[in-house]
């Protein structure tokens, strides 16, 4: 059974293949191949939405991607509720569910439509003017109200269950736009044998051939010719044809982003299908065949449902077999609307009248319309449309004034002319040029290797467009082929145009009745509710640049990006300014051409694939032992090991005490490690670190500090000298890549005379720290070839040998203040060696400990963490590390920066310890410090807490802080104001445990 | 995405493989510790930030890992040329009229 407005025998769809769907809860029948728009129109439904600001009822303006009005929510299931889908683009599938947006409680009765009556309040710049004061009301009152009233659909509130694919592709010629011109260019390029990618946003190729019933190419109807040409192209190995694919962004060096809608048109897409696929294409040459978009007429109430572009009505009739009304009025300023009237009339639809703004136009289309008995009125204007939820009449008046006549209609078709789609050209940074004769912007100066053909280039007429496109296709392919002998000359035949339709010109700006001095609602931008009056008002209020007019009125700033509105807005601004259009200038087009989903941009990079996860060799062991992990950059590090019933606090206290009492094992593998090798290795180390290295003996270690050229601490770590020409450098976990980058930079560009090689060895060595009084007893039984005595292996030394039969670089060093070792073994053996050490450790009651305990133990000793106790503005002196700066050195990175007057001035923030007067109170890291808590707010802050922990070993809370002139404040009482009271603290040294360091050998 | 020619790999590769490393031909003094405040300020803080041709350093970090120099137009983003680290500023740019 056919819907009421489906015309039997009309259109190209098989009317037997029906599909049921629902809109706002009502069921309808459409047919396969419909868009949601054509299916609703077949059922006589025009009212599909409410406008953004005034909540005016809206219908379909277009039949394509330029649609500003008919935005709906498509609901597949609870997680798939896509808002702002253009009903003119969404293909119908059986069971499709759509809802209207931006209305409450219903589409026909919308409470917020009162905004329409109150519209003088809502004119241009309304948001800027009204909601500026009081400032605080914006977040709490205005914004939530506006957002709920002016929503554009509802965002899905669950994770997107669909998946999105991505492809990179390269080709010699990329053809964008699949109308007659694009097809001709693609055929020409393809026949030379080069790789061609050819994309069009529609489900079927053909462009305006979908509605141009008068076109005939190579003896066939234009649309049929297009399908045959596409079949031919698809059969060629060197051609990739992409339908439902929108080129949304044209970037540098012919890099084009396209989104292919893979399964949005399917009833039940399987999991094997992505929802969309992002194509990132690099092309030698790009052919732009993006066509032109028809403009509406600007007159009062031109937004009533049932008022649409003439070409849209033709598309609905000639492609979908749908009559958009029964009694149709036409308002035009060029010939193309005549073709719509003629096609509808021939299909049996009554044409109430054609109203033509032009005085006495002539031509075959006008003759044909007259011959069909259609009433034609020249030199007249439609000054207003009647009706509310659907247009009911058009009121006609001679364009220079005079008597009014109201004609009942249920539909008005309009055409003010055609705007070349220069969006992608403009995105490529090409400069448009204004053609005074045809009054349109066309591609002018090119910035990239691309060419525009057909309607987007302002080329009128099918014959001329195909000529131009075919020649451009051959030329682009030849240029892209370069000297490659496989490129053949174009040998295919150029398509021959047997019959075509032709029109040009039209008008820009407001039509009579909506001109200067009028206050009617004649819409320029339907989606953002911008009227002709708003544009004039913006100019009167001082917006003289088109970019300012755009932002003040929001003209062209909605999701349709002004595809139908930009030229009208520009013309009215120019008229009001009294300047010619090219002097006012077109606004810049920016990607995306049409809205792009986040899903397609993100692709597979979500969840576990968003960022790599790095795990150490002992990860599995730690997880089995109940470790809780923390993220440190991309690493998963064991944070603490919770035994049955322990919370974090209890676990950390136990780990801290056990390490100092017996021993603990800690996975330090994430530390960055760089091997510095070569005859000049020591010289290089002298330049990159503050410390002296030349005299460090092989087998010994030193704590090194790396500065930036500005004199601030950049990184630190223990460095072992394995041989005269070989250093094993460790860095902070987070600093490894940037330290390597920093070292390479200096080696390659400032010190290239040094014979040094740098190798990142972070992943090559697993590092097991064994710390505590029993550490030597735990390690010694497993070690071969290394004398473990204090005399042979003193604190801060390194030896190479074997442990558990595998090679080791064994460091005697400590980040806990206890006797300690760091056992480096090849990462593949990390887990096995850990388990062997753990078995030994068990005999002595050792614990495994995580990063939290590591932090507490090092803070008890006042060892800094770069990036926690320093922040990029801390010098070695500030951190109390002057001893690590070689006093006799004449050069190292940072030596000059460190000597700057501000960096040696008195009163700098210095690292100190803090003890809370109430030892049970643990300070918050980042808390600010003042010296007088009674001073007026805002208080003078003299420093902040950088590290703070409960120390079970000390039985009190300990903290490190950066405090102005801190080392001169020993014993002073300072204050930490917090929301629930001020905390008193005492300034102390930074070492809380074993100040003399005896335990290192204990 | 820009294509950048690595002068070591002698290939045009996508921008993703590279990292910008600031202005080129800013020379670190061999007697940096003895530099005046003014000279150090010029070396460390002052950059040309031109509208037009800029000489800058890039690193083919996800490729050969080498630092090199590039001439780029900051208006069009176009790379005029690239050359190896340590080579002098080109006397004449390709396509330049003077
Ligand atoms: Zn390279």
């Amino acid at each position: 059974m056919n819907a009421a407005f489906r015309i039997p025998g009309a259109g190209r769809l098989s009317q037997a293949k029906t599909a049921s769907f629902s809109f706002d809860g009502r069921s309808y029948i459409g047919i396969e191949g419909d868009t949601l728009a054509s299916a609703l129109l077949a059922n006589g439904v025009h009212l599909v939405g409410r406008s953004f600001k005034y909540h005016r009822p809206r219908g379909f303006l277009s039949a394509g991607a330029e649609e500003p009005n008919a935005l709906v929510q498509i609901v597949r299931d609870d997680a798939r509720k896509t808002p702002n889908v253009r009903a003119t683009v969404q293909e119908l599938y059986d069971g499709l569910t759509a809802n209207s947006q931006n209305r409450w409680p219903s589409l026909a009765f919308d409470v917020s439509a009162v905004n329409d009556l109150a519209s003088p309040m809502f004119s241009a710049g309304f948001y800027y003017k009204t909601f500026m004061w009081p400032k605080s009301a914006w977040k709490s009152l205005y914004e939530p109200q506006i957002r709920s009233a002016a929503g554009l659909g509802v965002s899905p509130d669950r994770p997107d269950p669909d998946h999105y694919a991505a492809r990179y592709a390269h080709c010699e010629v990329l053809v964008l736009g699949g109308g007659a011109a694009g097809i001709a260019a693609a055929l020409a390029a393809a026949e030379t044998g080069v790789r061609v990618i050819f994309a069009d946003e529609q489900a079927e190729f053909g462009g305006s051939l979908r509605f141009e019933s008068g076109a005939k190419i190579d003896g066939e109807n234009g649309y049929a010719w297009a399908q045959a040409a596409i079949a031919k192209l698809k059969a060629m190995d060197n051609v990739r044809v992409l339908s439902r694919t929108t080129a949304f962004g044209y970037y540098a060096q012919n890099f084009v982003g396209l989104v292919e809608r893979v399964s949005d048109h399917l009833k039940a897409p399987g999991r094997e299908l992505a929802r969309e696929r992002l194509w990132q294409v690099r092309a030698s040459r790009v052919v732009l065949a993006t066509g032109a978009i028809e403009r509406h007429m600007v007159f009062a109430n031109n937004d009533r449902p049932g008022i649409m572009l003439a070409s849209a009505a033709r598309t609905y009739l000639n492609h979908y077999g749908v009559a958009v009304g029964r009694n149709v009025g036409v308002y035009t300023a060029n010939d193309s609307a005549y073709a719509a009237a003629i096609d509808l009339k021939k299909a049996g639809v009554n044409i109430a009248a054609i109203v033509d703004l032009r005085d006495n136009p002539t031509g075959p289309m006008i003759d044909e319309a007259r011959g069909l008995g259609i009433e034609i009125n020249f030199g007249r204007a439609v000054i207003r449309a009647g009706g509310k939820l659907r247009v009911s009449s058009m009121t006609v008046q001679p364009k220079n004034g005079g008597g009014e006549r109201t004609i009942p209609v249920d539909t008005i078709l309009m055409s003010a002319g055609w705007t070349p789609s220069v969006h992608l050209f403009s995105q490529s940074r090409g400069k448009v040029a204004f053609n005074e004769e045809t009054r349109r912007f066309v591609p002018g100066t090119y910035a990239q290797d691309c060419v525009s053909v057909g309607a987007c280039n302002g080329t009128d007429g099918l014959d001329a467009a195909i000529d131009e496109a075919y020649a451009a296709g051959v030329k682009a392919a030849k240029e892209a082929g370069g000297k490659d002998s496989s490129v053949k000359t174009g040998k295919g035949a150029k398509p021959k145009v047997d019959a075509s339709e032709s029109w040009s010109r039209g008008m820009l700006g407001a039509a009579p009745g909506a001109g200067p001095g009028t206050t009617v609602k004649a819409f320029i931008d339907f989606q953002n509710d911008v009227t002709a009056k708003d544009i004039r008002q913006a100019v009167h209020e001082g917006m003289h640049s088109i970019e300012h007019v755009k932002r003040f009125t929001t003209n062209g700033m909605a999701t349709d990006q002004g595809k139908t509105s930009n030229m009208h807005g520009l013309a009215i601004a120019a008229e009001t300014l009294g300047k010619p259009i090219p002097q006012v200038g077109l606004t810049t087009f920016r990607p995306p051409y049409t809205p792009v989903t986040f899903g397609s941009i993100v692709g597979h990079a979500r969840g576990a694939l968003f960022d790599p996860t790095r795990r150490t060799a002992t990860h599995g062991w730690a997880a089995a032992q109940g470790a809780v992990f923390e993220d440190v950059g991309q690493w998963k590090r064991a944070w603490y090991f919770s035994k049955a019933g322990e919370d974090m606090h209890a676990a950390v206290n136990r780990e801290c005490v056990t390490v100092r009492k017996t021993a603990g094992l800690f996975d330090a593998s994430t530390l960055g490690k760089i091997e510095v090798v070569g005859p000049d290795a020591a010289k290089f180390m002298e330049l990159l670190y503050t410390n002296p290295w030349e005299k460090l003996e092989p087998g010994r270690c030193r704590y090194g500090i790396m500065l930036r050229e500005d004199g601030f601490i950049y990184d630190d770590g223990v460095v072992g000298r394995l041989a005269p020409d070989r250093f094993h450098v460790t860095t902070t976990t987070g600093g490894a890549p940037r330290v390597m980058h920093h070292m390479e930079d200096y080696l390659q560009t400032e010190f290239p005379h040094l014979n040094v090689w740098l190798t990142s060895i972070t992943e090559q060595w697993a590092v097991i720290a064994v710390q505590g009084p029993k550490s030597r007893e735990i390690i010694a039984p497993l070690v071969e070839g290394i004398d473990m005595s204090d005399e042979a292996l003193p604190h801060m030394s390194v030896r190479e040998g074997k442990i558990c039969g595998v090679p080791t670089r064994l460091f005697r060093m400590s980040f806990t203040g206890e006797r300690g070792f760091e056992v480096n073994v090849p990462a593949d053996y990390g887990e096995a060696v850990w388990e062997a050490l753990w078995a030994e450790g068990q005999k002595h009651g050792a614990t495994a400990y995580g990063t939290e305990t590591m932090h507490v133990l090092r803070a008890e000793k006042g060892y800094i963490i770069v990036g926690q106790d320093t922040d990029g503005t801390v010098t070695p002196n500030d951190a109390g590390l002057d001893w690590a700066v070689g006093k006799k050195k004449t050069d190292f990175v940072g030596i000059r920066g460190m000597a700057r007057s501000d960096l040696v001035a008195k009163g700098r923030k210095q690292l100190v310890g803090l003890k809370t007067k109430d030892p049970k109170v643990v300070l918050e890291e980042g808390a600010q410090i003042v010296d007088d808590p009674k001073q007026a707010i805002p208080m003078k802050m003299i420093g902040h807490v950088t590290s703070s922990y409960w120390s079970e070993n000390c039985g009190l809370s300990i903290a490190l802080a950066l405090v102005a002139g801190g080392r001169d404040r020993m014993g002073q009482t300072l204050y930490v104001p917090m929301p629930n009271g001020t905390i008193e603290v005492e300034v102390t040294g930074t070492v809380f445990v074993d100040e003399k360091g005896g335990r290192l050998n204990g | 995405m820009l294509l950048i020619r690595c002068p070591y790999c002698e290939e045009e590769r996508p921008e993703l493989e590279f990292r910008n490393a600031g202005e080129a031909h800013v020379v670190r003094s061999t007697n940096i510790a003895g530099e005046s405040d003014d000279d150090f300020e010029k070396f460390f803080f002052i950059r040309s930030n031109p509208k037009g041709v800029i000489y800058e350093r890039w690193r083919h970090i996800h490729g050969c890992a080498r630092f090199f120099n590039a001439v780029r137009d900051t208006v069009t983003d176009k790379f005029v040329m690239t050359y190896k680290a340590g080579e002098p500023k080109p006397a004449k740019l390709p396509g330049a009229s003077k």
Side-chain angles (χ1 to χ4, degrees):
Chain A
M1 188 198 71
N2 277 323
F5 287 81
R6 189 86 62 182
I7 299 178
R12 304 191 179 95
L13 312 184
S14 167
Q15 298 195 357
K17 295 182 180 170
T18 60
S20 67
F21 69 101
S22 82
F23 178 66
D24 276 353
R26 271 195 66 178
S27 293
Y28 300 95
I29 301 289
I31 53 182
E32 282 183 19
D34 262 329
T35 59
L36 177 59
S38 67
L40 283 167
L41 287 168
N43 287 278
V45 177
H46 277 257
L47 172 63
V48 286
R50 287 274 175 172
S51 72
F52 182 62
K53 195 158 75 173
Y54 300 133
H55 286 248
R56 286 170 67 100
R58 290 285 165 82
F60 304 97
L61 180 72
S62 75
E66 68 270 36
E67 179 61 37
N69 283 336
L71 305 183
V72 298
Q73 186 120 17
I74 302 290
V75 181
R76 276 195 192 266
D77 54 39
D78 280 353
R80 294 174 174 90
K81 300 173 180 172
T82 312
N84 305 329
V85 174
R86 287 152 295 160
T88 53
V89 171
Q90 174 65 50
E91 292 173 59
L92 192 69
Y93 52 81
D94 189 46
L96 181 143
T97 303
N99 292 315
S100 60
Q101 304 180 160
N102 204 23
R103 47 64 183 171
W104 185 84
S106 76
L107 197 50
F109 176 73
D110 177 4
V111 168
S112 295
V114 68
N115 287 3
D116 194 16
L117 302 175
S119 64
M121 281 173 52
F122 283 83
S123 61
F126 164 72
Y127 294 104
Y128 300 113
K129 292 171 192 165
T130 311
F131 298 117
M132 293 307 287
W133 186 91
K135 224 173 168 182
S136 61
W138 176 252
K139 264 209 140 64
S140 59
L141 183 63
Y142 298 140
E143 193 182 3
Q145 292 261 327
I146 292 168
R147 287 216 181 280
S148 67
L152 279 170
V154 182
S155 299
D157 53 5
R158 297 199 188 176
D160 187 344
D162 289 319
H163 64 102
Y164 297 79
R167 287 281 298 270
Y168 285 94
H170 296 80
C171 63
E172 277 69 44
V173 180
L174 172 64
V175 182
L176 300 174
I183 292 170
L187 284 170
E191 281 154 5
T192 69
V194 300
R195 291 171 301 170
V196 175
I197 296 178
F198 183 24
D200 188 77
E201 64 188 355
Q202 303 270 358
E204 290 102 15
F205 282 67
S208 62
L209 296 173
R210 290 199 310 161
F211 63 79
E212 279 188 32
S213 50
K216 220 174 164 190
I217 304 169
D218 287 345
E220 284 186 274
N221 163 278
Y223 186 80
W225 166 82
Q227 305 318 303
I230 293 300
K232 182 180 167 192
L233 286 164
K234 279 184 175 167
M236 296 173 79
D237 290 339
N238 58 324
V239 182
R240 183 186 291 282
V241 177
L242 297 170
S243 60
R244 299 187 178 94
T245 304
T246 304
F248 64 83
Y250 196 135
Y251 305 96
Q253 287 165 297
N254 276 356
F255 189 70
V256 179
L258 306 96
V259 167
E260 179 185 3
R261 289 170 297 281
V262 179
S263 61
D264 270 357
H265 62 292
L266 298 176
K267 175 183 168 71
R271 273 300 289 173
E272 74 280 6
L273 281 185
R275 181 178 172 218
E276 295 178 331
R277 179 178 292 117
L278 176 70
W279 289 86
Q280 295 177 78
V281 178
R282 180 84 66 178
S284 302
R285 295 289 184 282
V286 175
V287 178
L288 297 170
T290 48
I293 292 173
E294 200 169 28
R295 290 188 303 277
H296 57 281
M297 297 292 288
V298 179
F299 62 100
N301 298 337
N302 62 344
D303 62 327
R304 292 305 186 203
I307 304 180
M308 64 170 63
L309 299 173
S311 60
R314 271 188 107 187
T315 304
Y316 290 121
L317 178 67
N318 295 337
H319 191 77
Y320 299 102
V322 172
V324 295
R326 303 222 188 276
N327 186 31
V328 175
V330 177
Y331 184 22
T332 188
N334 84 110
D335 279 358
S336 72
Y338 282 82
I342 291 163
D343 285 353
L344 282 162
K345 178 79 179 173
K346 285 179 179 168
V349 175
N350 184 53
I351 305 298
I354 294 175
V355 179
D356 193 329
L357 206 51
R358 297 172 297 179
D359 281 328
N360 279 301
T362 55
M365 285 194 183
I366 296 166
D367 296 340
E368 188 179 356
R370 195 176 282 125
L372 287 167
I374 298 172
E375 179 194 327
I376 303 173
N377 302 278
F378 292 139
R380 282 179 163 69
V382 173
I383 55 164
R384 95 180 67 89
K388 192 155 186 217
L389 300 180
R390 176 78 186 262
V391 63
S392 61
S393 67
M394 59 182 189
T395 299
V396 181
Q397 191 183 40
K399 70 178 182 189
N400 297 318
E404 294 183 7
R405 172 186 160 212
T406 296
I407 304 171
V409 293
D410 63 8
T411 309
I412 300 175
L413 310 184
M414 4 169 226
S415 180
W418 293 76
T419 307
S421 289
V422 294
H423 306 76
L424 291 174
F425 169 78
S426 176
Q427 285 183 25
S428 81
R429 299 197 181 184
K431 293 267 178 289
V432 292
F434 191 70
N435 183 315
E436 285 293 347
E437 197 196 334
T438 57
R439 293 177 65 72
R440 59 194 177 187
F441 283 100
V442 292
T445 315
Y446 283 85
Q448 300 205 33
D449 288 329
C450 66
V451 59
S452 300
V453 297
C456 73
N457 196 35
T459 303
D460 297 317
L462 188 58
D463 215 355
I466 284 185
D467 269 4
E468 174 180 74
Y470 195 83
V474 172
K475 182 164 180 278
K478 282 187 172 171
E479 286 170 356
K483 294 182 183 114
D484 187 345
S485 60
S486 72
V487 175
K488 294 168 274 180
T489 49
K491 63 177 169 48
K494 187 175 74 178
K496 187 172 162 297
V497 176
D498 304 312
S500 67
E501 302 173 352
S502 180
W503 53 77
S504 61
R505 311 298 172 92
M507 60 116 37
L508 296 171
T518 63
T519 58
V520 296
K521 282 213 180 62
F523 286 92
I524 306 290
D525 180 330
F526 292 100
Q527 204 179 355
N528 268 354
D529 271 348
V530 180
T531 64
K533 176 182 144 279
D534 291 332
I535 305 277
R536 287 190 286 263
Q537 186 196 331
V539 174
H540 290 316
E541 293 194 13
M543 311 298 144
H544 290 180
S545 146
I546 194 65
E547 296 286 355
H548 291 160
V549 171
K550 168 179 162 176
R551 282 155 184 81
F552 193 66
T553 61
T554 70
N555 189 53
M557 289 173 70
T559 62
D560 66 327
Q561 294 217 359
K563 290 183 178 63
T564 49
S565 64
N566 279 339
M567 287 307 295
H568 282 319
L570 174 57
I572 294 170
E575 182 192 26
T576 314
L577 285 163
K579 283 185 182 173
I581 284 175
Q583 271 187 35
V584 179
L586 198 57
T587 53
T588 311
F589 294 99
R590 295 193 173 83
Y593 175 69
T594 51
V596 174
T597 61
F598 283 112
S600 66
I601 293 169
V602 169
H604 295 300
R606 52 190 284 195
L609 298 179
F610 177 66
D611 203 26
T613 300
R614 302 172 80 182
R615 295 183 180 85
T616 69
T618 66
H619 187 91
W621 183 91
Q625 294 286 320
V628 175
F629 293 89
E630 69 166 336
D631 292 334
V632 181
Q634 293 170 332
W635 288 104
K636 295 279 177 200
R637 300 195 73 180
W639 193 12
Y640 57 91
F641 290 82
S642 189
K643 289 195 171 176
E646 278 182 340
D647 61 6
M648 175 174 173
H649 190 65
V652 171
N653 285 349
R654 173 182 50 74
E655 290 173 15
C656 284
V657 168
T658 309
V659 172
R660 294 216 189 279
K661 208 169 93 194
T662 55
L665 269 68
F666 172 70
D667 187 339
S669 303
T670 65
L671 282 183
K673 295 175 278 293
I674 298 168
E675 204 157 292
V676 178
V677 185
D680 298 321
K683 278 195 188 117
F684 181 73
M685 290 298 294
E686 291 274 346
L687 285 164
L688 268 291
Y689 283 81
T690 60
N691 321 62
W693 300 96
E694 295 272 18
K695 289 184 182 151
L696 183 71
E697 282 174 27
R700 297 310 303 263
C701 303
R702 181 162 283 164
Y703 168 74
I705 299 176
M706 171 178 271
L707 307 182
R708 297 182 308 204
E709 206 70 83
D710 58 11
F712 295 125
I713 295 174
Y714 189 51
D715 203 73
D716 70 348
V718 170
V719 177
R721 190 170 195 174
L722 298 168
D725 63 350
R726 186 174 296 260
F727 290 83
H728 178 115
V729 175
T730 67
T731 75
T732 56
T733 293
R738 59 180 159 79
V739 168
M740 185 73 183
H741 183 72
H742 176 87
M743 284 183 167
E744 280 286 355
D745 191 348
Y746 277 95
L747 181 58
Q748 290 184 35
T749 67
E750 295 293 351
F751 314 131
H753 55 283
L754 297 181
N755 191 354
V756 174
W757 197 258
L758 304 171
T759 309
S760 167
I761 52 169
T762 302
E763 300 273 0
Q764 273 59 48
W765 296 97
V767 184
I768 303 160
V770 186
Q771 302 275 315
K774 300 285 182 195
S775 55
R776 181 164 54 186
E777 282 96 316
I778 293 169
I779 297 173
L782 305 175
V783 171
E784 297 165 52
I786 299 173
D787 183 342
M788 298 285 289
S789 68
D790 282 348
E791 297 70 40
L793 186 66
H795 179 59
M796 293 302 266
S797 55
V798 57
R799 296 289 179 275
E800 292 180 272
K802 283 194 166 180
I803 187 166
C804 304
V806 303
T808 182
R809 288 179 178 176
L810 181 64
F811 284 74
R812 168 102 190 258
M813 57 180 279
S814 175
F815 200 42
T816 58
E818 302 298 319
R819 171 190 294 278
F821 300 87
E822 290 195 358
V823 180
N824 286 250
V825 293
D828 285 349
Y829 299 114
E831 189 173 11
V833 173
W834 173 282
E835 292 204 33
L837 285 166
W838 177 246
E840 287 298 320
Q842 292 290 82
K843 298 175 190 168
H844 301 276
T847 183
Y849 66 97
T851 50
E852 187 65 19
T853 291
M854 176 270 283
H855 274 108
V856 177
L857 295 174
R858 66 89 201 174
E860 288 173 350
K861 292 294 299 177
Y863 299 148
I864 64 163
I865 300 258
V866 170
Q868 176 168 343
D869 302 297
T870 71
D871 61 3
T873 66
V874 175
T875 66
N877 183 276
D878 297 341
L881 297 169
D882 247 357
W883 57 267
V885 178
K887 299 292 175 298
K888 291 179 192 153
K889 291 177 70 169
T890 56
D891 196 2
F892 57 81
V893 174
I895 191 169
R896 179 62 184 81
M898 217 170 67
R900 288 182 290 152
S901 54
D902 274 4
L903 274 65
V904 295
K906 274 206 180 334
R908 286 187 60 82
K909 287 186 185 173
Q910 296 171 325
L911 192 74
V912 294
L914 296 180
K915 283 182 185 168
T916 48
K917 289 281 167 81
D918 176 351
K920 294 265 180 274
V921 174
V922 179
L923 295 168
E924 232 170 85
E925 288 173 355
Q928 297 293 322
I929 299 164
V930 301
D931 58 3
D932 172 12
K934 296 198 182 82
Q935 62 186 300
I937 291 171
M939 296 187 190
K940 184 172 192 265
M941 296 176 287
I942 60 167
H944 66 276
V945 178
T946 61
S947 293
S948 173
Y949 309 94
W950 170 257
S951 167
E952 185 74 1
N953 284 310
C954 302
L956 50 83
S957 136
I958 59 165
L960 298 174
L962 285 166
V963 176
R967 288 199 289 271
D968 296 331
R969 294 179 185 268
M970 288 301 139
Q972 272 188 23
T973 298
L974 297 176
Y975 303 89
V976 179
M978 297 299 288
N980 25 357
T982 296
I983 302 166
E984 273 185 74
V985 298
E986 184 197 331
V987 180
T988 71
T990 55
V991 183
F992 298 92
V993 166
D994 185 29
E995 207 162 339
K996 290 191 175 141
R999 297 183 66 91
L1000 288 167
N1001 293 306
Chain B
M1 189 171 20
L2 297 168
L3 288 173
I4 302 172
R5 183 179 171 80
C6 172
Y8 295 96
C9 296
E10 300 184 335
E11 255 188 77
E12 281 200 327
R13 307 292 303 170
E15 189 185 340
L16 284 177
E17 295 182 10
F18 298 84
R19 181 190 292 179
N20 183 284
E23 188 157 1
H25 302 293
V26 179
V27 180
R28 186 179 189 274
S29 167
T30 50
N31 177 30
I32 195 164
E35 268 195 328
S36 68
D37 280 351
D38 284 352
D39 287 345
F40 184 72
E41 181 195 35
K42 277 190 201 111
F43 161 70
F44 188 71
F45 293 105
I46 308 300
R47 294 295 179 266
S48 63
N49 194 27
K51 180 178 182 181
V53 169
I54 188 170
Y55 296 79
E56 59 188 5
R57 304 176 336 124
W58 284 77
R59 187 182 184 202
H60 194 187
I61 189 159
H62 301 297
C64 65
R66 303 295 298 266
F67 285 83
F68 60 89
N69 294 325
V71 187
R72 189 172 59 89
D73 188 320
T74 58
V75 177
T76 64
D77 270 354
K78 278 187 180 160
F79 279 77
V80 180
M81 64 178 294
T82 57
Y83 52 101
K84 291 176 180 173
E87 289 180 2
K89 241 184 199 181
K92 186 173 180 292
L93 297 178
S97 49
K98 291 169 208 162

